[in-house]
Every structure is written in structure tokens, then in C-alpha cells.
Amino acid sequence: MSGIIDLGIWQMLSAYIFVLIVVWIVWSRHIGREKEILISAVRMTIQLIAVGYILAYIFEHANPAYTFAALAVMEIFAVYNAYQRIKVKLNPRLRKIMAVSLVLGTMGSLLFFVLGVVRVKPWYSPQYFIPLGGMIIGNSMTGITLGADRVLDGMRTKKEQVEMALMLGATPKMAAKQIGDNAFETAILPTVNQMMGMGIVFLPGMMTGQILSGTSPLTAIEYQIAIMLGILGSVSLSVILFVIWSYRAFFNERAQLVDE
């Protein structure tokens, strides 16, 4: 199979015609999002070019310190973006639980996947850790955001049910269990739906990129199956850790439901 076609500057610029088409549609229909679309396109371009040069340097100077520094930056931004996506203000305890759950879930899954499944050499290879880490952390960020949003909404809308359960003798963990189960289901559903449509409805990005670069479709499929299972595990682990720990932020030391 031939290698991937290298895109020149004019080929890259020609792709921006799609941005102009969207801007024209938005302008002609008086939607008023032209500036936002243009800024997002420019910002994406600048960010990706900067990341490209950084990754090129890290790949050429493979070092465990560089690899884990890059992963740390990705985790920090993932936690920050998760906070920003929540519609209500999070109390400090819940923010800490959310951050710890995301980091433990993603790093645990990533380390097992790279070292136990792929078994890369050297073990700190940035070529595997960084792109695979990006997919695992990104999907887990979305999952834990959905889970946290559902937990917060459930504790607010089902406050009377929780208090009734407490009065009947339930522990805080038991009283909040149904809310946590609903949050977990909501959080993993996008990943499960994505897996169900993969290969028939659409070809995922990782597999497409490998095929374009000249990799055998069968090899690309093997990696895609493995990484999707890794993503499912990471999302599930991050969310379940949050669900198991988060209820404590809604109760005081006397097992009473509190409003914050």
C-alpha cells in the first residue's frame, strides 16, 4: 500500500472553502455566528500547528519526562474543561472528587492499555502514549461531565426522595444509589452507541488515519477495536469512581442532606 499524500500549503488553504461556505450560510440566514465560526477555525489552526511542532520535538527526543509532562498538561486541561461544562457551581469537595476520578480512571486505563495490551518498547514511547492518551482522556472527560451533570441534577430534582429514604433508615450511599446508577448509564451511553455504529455507520478517526498512512486495514481494525475497548474501560472507571465518591459531597457528618 502507498503512503499518505503530503498536503501542500495550497491544498491546505483550499480546505478552508468549507469554512467560507458555513459563514455564508450563517450570514445569509442572519444567524449571527460568523465571527464565532471564523475565530474557532483560526484558533483550531494555530493550536494544532503549535501542538504539531511540540509533538515533533517530543517524538524526536523520546524521554519519559516529556511524555508524562504532555499527559499531565492534557489531564489538567481535561479537568478544567469538565468544570467549565457543568452548568452549576461545584463545591470544592465535588471538584476534587471529579478531578481525582478522571485522573485515576484515565491514567490507570492508559497505562494498562499501552504497557499491558500494546506492550510498546520503549515503555514510555510518546508515539503511543500521547495520541492514545488524547483519545482516552478526551472521551473520559465527556463521560465524567455527563455523569456529574446528571448527579447534580438528580440530587436537586429528587431531593425529597433522598430525604424520605434517609428518614426510613437508609444510609447516604443507599439513598443516592439510584441517582448514581442513572448518572453512570447516561455517561457511558455515548461510548456504547459509538461502538454499535462503528464499522457500519462510520469509520472512526484512528482507523481512517492509519489506513490513509498506508497501514493495512486489518491492522487498523485491530488497533481500533483495542482502543475502543480501552476508551470504554476508561470512561466506565472514571465515572464509577466519581459516582462512588460524589454522594459524600451532598451530606454532612451526621448523614444529613445539605444544600450548597
Side-chain angles (χ1 to χ4, degrees):
M1 298 180 66
S2 60
I4 192 169
I5 299 173
D6 188 23
L7 297 180
I9 183 65
W10 292 110
Q11 290 170 291
M12 287 291 299
L13 290 175
S14 65
Y16 284 88
I17 188 68
F18 298 110
V19 177
L20 298 179
I21 291 174
V22 174
V23 169
W24 180 81
I25 293 173
V26 170
W27 173 79
S28 64
R29 301 184 70 87
H30 306 288
I31 297 176
R33 293 279 186 174
E34 302 92 333
K35 184 178 179 181
E36 183 178 343
I37 294 170
L38 289 172
I39 290 175
S40 66
V42 172
R43 180 175 175 178
M44 174 200 70
T45 303
I46 295 173
Q47 289 176 170
L48 288 178
I49 290 174
V51 168
Y53 279 105
I54 293 172
L55 291 180
Y57 179 85
I58 293 175
F59 287 1
E60 291 175 5
H61 304 81
N63 186 296
Y66 293 156
T67 299
F68 286 99
L71 290 174
V73 171
M74 293 162 67
E75 291 281 11
I76 291 171
F77 275 94
V79 170
Y80 175 77
N81 286 332
Y83 290 160
Q84 296 299 110
R85 292 187 184 185
I86 302 297
K87 300 174 184 178
V88 298
K89 186 177 180 179
L90 298 170
N91 64 54
R93 190 176 183 185
L94 204 56
R95 292 168 71 94
K96 181 179 179 181
I97 292 172
M98 198 170 175
V100 172
S101 300
L102 182 60
V103 172
L104 288 180
T106 54
M107 290 306 297
S109 300
L110 177 61
L111 288 171
F112 175 79
F113 184 81
V114 176
L115 303 181
V117 178
V118 184
R119 301 180 183 178
V120 300
K121 294 181 180 180
W123 65 269
Y124 54 83
S125 174
Q127 180 183 354
Y128 287 87
F129 260 108
I130 295 177
L132 294 176
M135 287 186 282
I136 285 176
I137 294 171
N139 282 274
S140 298
M141 176 191 69
T142 301
I144 203 168
T145 302
L146 291 172
D149 196 51
R150 182 54 64 93
V151 166
L152 289 164
D153 182 68
M155 295 301 292
R156 177 180 59 82
T157 59
K158 298 182 179 180
K159 178 181 177 181
E160 293 182 358
Q161 296 179 27
V162 173
E163 291 179 331
M164 181 65 69
L166 292 173
M167 287 188 290
L168 292 175
T171 63
K173 184 177 182 179
M174 294 169 58
K177 182 180 182 300
Q178 187 61 50
I179 294 173
D181 290 344
N182 291 337
F184 181 79
E185 181 183 7
T186 300
I188 67 169
L189 193 58
T191 303
V192 173
N193 288 339
Q194 187 180 10
M195 292 171 64
M196 291 180 65
M198 194 168 291
I200 298 177
V201 180
F202 67 96
L203 292 179
M206 179 182 178
M207 180 178 169
T208 302
Q210 287 184 312
I211 293 175
L212 288 174
S213 66
T215 303
S216 166
L218 295 178
T219 302
I221 287 171
E222 292 173 355
Y223 269 90
Q224 188 61 58
I225 291 173
I227 189 58
M228 279 310 304
L229 296 176
I231 288 172
L232 177 64
S234 177
V235 172
S236 300
L237 184 56
S238 298
V239 176
I240 198 61
L241 287 175
F242 176 79
V243 167
I244 290 173
W245 294 331
S246 64
Y247 77 90
R248 302 175 185 177
F250 299 94
F251 299 90
N252 59 26
E253 62 278 1
R254 290 175 291 180
Q256 296 173 322
L257 187 63
V258 295
D259 290 321
E260 294 193 31

